Amino acid sequence: MLSSIHPLGERARQNRWTVTVMAFSVGALLSGAAVGLVLGATGSAVLPESSEVALTATAVVALAAGSLDLAGVRAPGSARQVNETWIGAFRGWVYGGGFGLELGLGFLTYVVTWAVYAMYLSAVLTASPWAGALVGATFGLGRSASVIAAGFVDRPSRLTSFNRALAKAGPVVRTASAVTIAVLGSGVIVGGLL
């Protein structure tokens, strides 16, 4: 999907890349916020109010997610991608928004990291609908950043080099993401113990 939404492709389909990307970002933000709101509301109904316990639990969840990713344990979830036939059938803002909605929810498309589940648990642990919505919105915006990376692809040679760079960077980005999540979780745990 990322290799399909870029200025060159959008121009060829007579769409504007900025409109497609904005729809994608808004869709991811809104759906992430919605799932976070629901999870935060669920947490507020079932968890006691204790920000210290919630922060520690969230840190443990982050440490576990990063560690599982580093250990190469595959996260369970859907093995489907967004429906790329939408690209030829609808306007850019329609498939951009639709893809964003799916990715912002996290579970409807291929789950490649335990961080998706860490986000869900973190939203629950906020024990607040609004804080959960903020967690989910941040997740959605992070997911929408993927299409922005293709913004310089305005000719075929750049598309080829972008796809090569993307394939090469995949393992490095996955490792860096897992390490970052684990280190953040560890730092909060250690900070709480001091």
Side-chain angles (χ1 to χ4, degrees):
M1 185 261 318
L2 177 58
S3 62
S4 300
I5 299 177
H6 47 74
L8 177 67
E10 290 305 290
R11 191 171 58 237
R13 290 185 286 274
Q14 298 174 349
N15 293 324
R16 289 192 326 202
W17 178 78
T18 53
V19 172
T20 303
V21 169
M22 284 300 294
F24 186 100
S25 299
V26 168
L29 172 87
L30 291 177
S31 63
V35 76
L37 181 93
V38 169
L39 293 172
T42 302
S44 72
V46 299
L47 296 175
E49 287 190 36
S50 172
S51 59
E52 187 175 308
V53 171
L55 182 61
T56 302
T58 301
V60 169
V61 166
L63 175 60
S67 299
L68 286 166
D69 282 343
L70 284 170
V73 178
R74 187 179 180 280
S78 176
R80 85 177 262 295
Q81 287 293 358
V82 294
N83 187 347
E84 288 200 22
T85 61
W86 289 6
I87 290 176
F90 301 109
R91 299 291 297 161
W93 66 270
V94 174
Y95 60 77
F99 292 171
L101 283 168
E102 291 185 57
L103 288 173
L105 291 173
F107 63 89
L108 288 181
T109 59
Y110 188 63
V111 178
V112 296
T113 176
W114 286 92
V116 173
Y117 300 109
M119 182 277 293
Y120 295 153
L121 287 172
S122 296
V124 170
L125 290 168
T126 66
S128 161
W130 308 119
L134 182 61
V135 168
T138 303
F139 173 80
L141 278 179
R143 298 289 297 248
S144 72
S146 60
V147 294
I148 295 169
F152 75 98
V153 177
D154 58 358
R155 56 183 169 268
S157 61
R158 286 190 173 174
L159 179 59
T160 302
S161 64
F162 175 71
N163 285 336
R164 282 191 196 126
L166 196 62
K168 188 176 179 181
V172 174
V173 170
R174 277 190 292 277
T175 300
S177 174
V179 167
T180 300
I181 292 167
V183 167
L184 286 172
S186 300
V188 171
I189 292 168
V190 170
L193 296 174
L194 296 178

